[in-house]
Amino acid sequence: MYEKTYPSKRFKHTLEFLNKHINTTESILDLGVKNPLSKLMTSQGFNVTNTSGEDLDVDFSSVTTFKTEVVTAFEIFEHLLAPLNILKEIKSDKLVASIPLNLWFAPAYRSKTDKWDRHYHEFEDWQFDWLLEKAGWEIKDSAKWTNPINKIGIRPILRSFTPRYYIVYAERKK
């Protein structure tokens, strides 16, 4: 997935947000297989365990059986058909999750060769907030950032000032 590009800006913002809300002594279950971001988190002292690549639309065992204080999900929920289901099943009290935002000038992403590398949902921030609220989460903090690219054209100009990523820190409602 990162053969041609390495999202250093996204990783930088994600780690800054994570450090703001989560202590390195807290255990983290990161939804998704090991990846460069989870490896960076570990290198910065976070205690991270990743899921095994199971289909999180139908298999909730990782979030229902693994005892953890925090669940992270970085660019995962847009790939699921029904993210509400797993969000309701998470047993930890803290969640840090990010999504790529829906861009009106770019269609949803779909790889023709990798069935897991497709976006079923492209959220707006309010839609993601609503999803979390319905699943029993209360958003405590959020942030957005752009993702400019070094190309010429209308879309690259729009990407320089249109937020592309949205991240939230949420706690389970009591």
Side-chain angles (χ1 to χ4, degrees), residues 16-60:
E16 287 171 358
F17 193 85
L18 188 65
N19 277 303
K20 180 178 175 183
H21 297 288
I22 305 302
N23 191 305
T24 55
T25 60
E26 296 177 285
S27 61
I28 296 174
L29 175 64
D30 184 39
L31 301 185
V33 296
K34 270 192 179 174
N35 59 74
L37 180 55
S38 62
K39 290 175 186 173
L40 261 175
M41 291 164 58
T42 300
S43 75
Q44 291 200 4
F46 288 101
N47 177 15
V48 180
T49 301
N50 284 86
T51 55
S52 304
E54 63 272 24
D55 185 345
L56 297 173
D57 268 318
V58 294
D59 183 352
F60 311 131

Side-chain angles (χ1 to χ4, degrees), residues 31 56 59-60 63 77 80 82-90:
L31 301 185
L56 297 173
D59 183 352
F60 311 131
V63 297
F77 295 125
L80 301 179
L84 176 69
N85 297 328
I86 196 158
L87 281 163
K88 287 171 61 175
E89 295 295 328
I90 292 171

Side-chain angles (χ1 to χ4, degrees), residues 90-165:
I90 292 171
K91 301 301 180 214
S92 72
D93 291 329
K94 297 179 180 180
L95 173 71
V96 179
S98 63
I99 55 164
L101 290 167
N102 182 22
L103 300 177
W104 60 270
F105 54 86
Y109 176 75
R110 184 181 99 184
S111 168
K112 291 179 178 20
T113 57
D114 182 353
K115 71 175 185 164
W116 294 108
D117 194 16
R118 298 174 179 172
H119 291 186
Y120 187 78
H121 301 277
E122 291 265 327
F123 297 97
E124 292 185 32
D125 55 357
W126 69 267
Q127 292 171 307
F128 193 58
D129 292 352
W130 187 21
L131 173 67
L132 292 172
E133 179 185 318
K134 284 200 75 128
W137 295 94
E138 182 179 351
I139 296 172
K140 299 292 187 175
D141 192 19
S142 64
K144 294 180 192 177
W145 63 88
T146 61
N147 188 40
I149 55 176
N150 294 322
K151 292 184 179 178
I152 297 172
I154 298 297
R155 282 191 202 180
I157 291 169
L158 293 171
R159 286 181 189 275
S160 67
F161 61 85
T162 304
R164 176 61 173 150
Y165 293 101

